[in-house]
Amino acid sequence: MILLAIESTCDETGAAVLEGDGAGVPRVRSSVVSSQIGLHRRFGGVVPEIASRAHVRQVVPMIDEALKQAGVELKDVGAIAVAIRPGLVGALVVGLTAAKSLALALDVPLVAVDHLEGHLYACQLAHPDREVYPCVGLVVSGGHSSLYACRGPLDCEPLGGTIDDAAGEAFDKVASLLGLGYPGGPEIEKAARSGNPKAYAFPRTFLRDPRLAFSFSGLKTAVLYALRGPNEVRGAVQPTPQQAADLAASFQEAVVDVLVAKARQALERTGMTRLGVGGGVAANGRFREKLLAAMDAMGVETFIPPLSLCTDNAAMAGVALLKLAAGQVADLDVDVAAGLVRPKQQKG
Ligand code: KG4
Ligand code: ZN
């Protein structure tokens, strides 16, 4: 079975061609992404309307390119997959409309996937010879900071997530405060290399709280106050390079400490012995270092896909082949959903 997958949840337009039988791990025959970073850079974050318009321009060229790179034609495609949640509504609608149109025109099944389920399935795509499930899933990106108990690729129960900013969003906002570039994660990481992570004692929110929840908004404010002083919050204050490096290192350390502690807590709570990680923040070297050390100490097997599968891409929607085999086909009137599936106990 040849599957054509489409991704348009946020600011990357992706298309991929996968081949599989629904039993084993699919083979990724092509995966292409058109990033909108250049369009959003001057705003310091993703502008939804600009994102939607860029998806409209890029979705067909990306599909054409994915088919070309895989050496297949539309007539070879046996099913269409698309991420329908969570994400920006206008962005999601573009991918879903393309997917529906193709499914109708080709008379093939449409499979709707959850973007976060996809992020975690990327761990399995990256390690086709290893058992990734059951695992705790941790998705840390510009839009998400969420923990899951995944009994299987199609059985991920939400354990908790952020009650305000996502981890990557905090990196982006703090980078903007420090006058660094966009996206902020790589810039903060670079600046942090010459900084002291103990220079500022920033809060580690919920660190010892039994809830599997994150909050990064207070941390962001703490950086702002450390930079400007509590009584002087207006006007841009330019830190010295050493001050920016120390603030970046101390901020990064606080985020990493919380992410690692919550992953550990989720593993202890579920009794699971594997961890799958997805999302752009997983590119962070300090995060990988501290996470892998903590997981090694616990005897937990950790899966972090290469960057191309960690950040938004369409290949991860290859989880659709399992859905198809399980008979989970979407109707052509299926709609998008902006929000996450939330854990039962968590509000906000
Ligand atoms: O998964 P992704 O490409 O897109 C979504 O948000 O879905 O993640 C992008 C996020 C951005 O917030 C970016 O600042 C962050 O991942 N990021 C990083 C690093 N590289 C990207 N955060 C920390 N350290 C990095 N090296
Ligand atoms: Zn994502």
Side-chain angles (χ1 to χ4, degrees):
M1 161 74 76
I2 298 285
L3 175 84
L4 172 64
I6 299 170
E7 154 67 36
S8 71
T9 59
C10 187
D11 61 341
E12 327 270 5
T13 319
V17 172
L18 295 103
E19 186 174 358
D21 56 8
V25 179
R27 184 162 78 90
V28 181
R29 291 190 45 169
S30 68
S31 178
V32 294
V33 169
S34 165
S35 171
Q36 305 175 4
I37 283 178
L39 296 175
H40 301 290
R41 181 167 280 125
R42 72 190 173 101
F43 302 101
V46 177
V47 182
E49 178 63 20
I50 292 176
S52 310
R53 287 170 188 262
H55 285 305
V56 170
R57 284 194 301 275
Q58 289 302 323
V59 69
V60 173
M62 285 299 103
I63 291 169
D64 284 343
E65 185 60 26
L67 292 170
K68 192 170 130 203
Q69 287 189 16
V72 300
E73 294 177 27
L74 272 180
K75 66 174 171 48
D76 305 317
V77 171
I80 310 283
V82 63
I84 60 157
R85 70 184 310 159
L88 302 169
V89 167
L92 286 162
V93 163
V94 178
L96 178 58
T97 306
K100 282 181 178 176
S101 311
L102 282 168
L104 185 65
L106 300 173
D107 193 23
V108 296
L110 174 71
V111 187
V113 304
D114 181 297
H115 180 71
L116 297 178
E117 225 166 49
H119 265 303
L120 297 174
Y121 192 64
C123 295
Q124 187 67 76
L125 287 176
H127 300 95
D129 304 328
R130 289 164 68 188
E131 278 302 327
V132 172
Y133 300 91
C135 67
V136 164
L138 172 64
V139 182
V140 274
S141 70
H144 310 287
S145 298
S146 298
L147 280 160
Y148 292 85
C150 297
R151 287 171 282 269
L154 302 180
D155 185 7
C156 289
E157 181 198 340
L159 294 173
T162 181
I163 60 163
D164 41 55
D165 292 351
E169 185 180 2
F171 270 95
D172 295 336
K173 288 177 175 169
V174 167
S176 164
L177 278 178
L178 300 182
L180 303 172
Y182 175 82
E187 298 288 331
I188 295 260
E189 184 173 7
K190 199 163 79 188
R193 283 192 201 114
S194 43
N196 174 6
K198 295 200 171 116
Y200 297 89
F202 286 139
R204 273 106 170 120
T205 310
F206 295 145
L207 191 67
R208 290 181 220 297
D209 192 295
R211 279 172 295 176
L212 291 170
F214 300 101
S215 166
F216 296 110
S217 155
L219 171 59
K220 184 184 62 190
T221 310
V223 177
L224 177 77
Y225 285 162
L227 178 63
R228 298 180 176 184
N231 299 319
E232 200 189 324
V233 291
R234 283 172 200 279
V237 177
Q238 200 56 44
T240 64
Q242 191 54 50
Q243 198 185 5
D246 287 343
L247 286 165
S250 303
F251 161 78
Q252 177 176 267
E253 204 68 7
V255 175
V256 168
D257 282 351
V258 174
L259 294 177
V260 172
K262 290 294 161 185
R264 189 193 290 128
Q265 209 176 316
L267 284 153
E268 282 165 358
R269 184 151 327 158
T270 57
M272 288 172 164
T273 56
R274 298 190 188 106
L275 177 73
V277 185
V281 179
N284 186 279
R286 186 68 180 145
F287 171 60
R288 284 175 180 245
E289 189 188 336
K290 286 194 112 174
L291 182 72
L292 292 175
M295 295 302 113
D296 272 358
M298 286 178 83
V300 167
E301 203 179 352
T302 307
F303 299 88
I304 308 179
L307 201 56
S308 60
L309 278 170
C310 244
T311 53
D312 285 351
N313 66 88
M316 63 196 195
V319 71
L321 282 165
L322 308 186
K323 288 198 148 182
L324 193 60
Q328 296 179 25
V329 173
D331 289 332
L332 281 182
D333 63 357
V334 66
D335 207 351
V336 301
L340 283 173
V341 178
R342 291 247 174 223
K344 288 177 200 88
Q345 74 279 14
Q346 192 188 355
K347 293 206 172 72

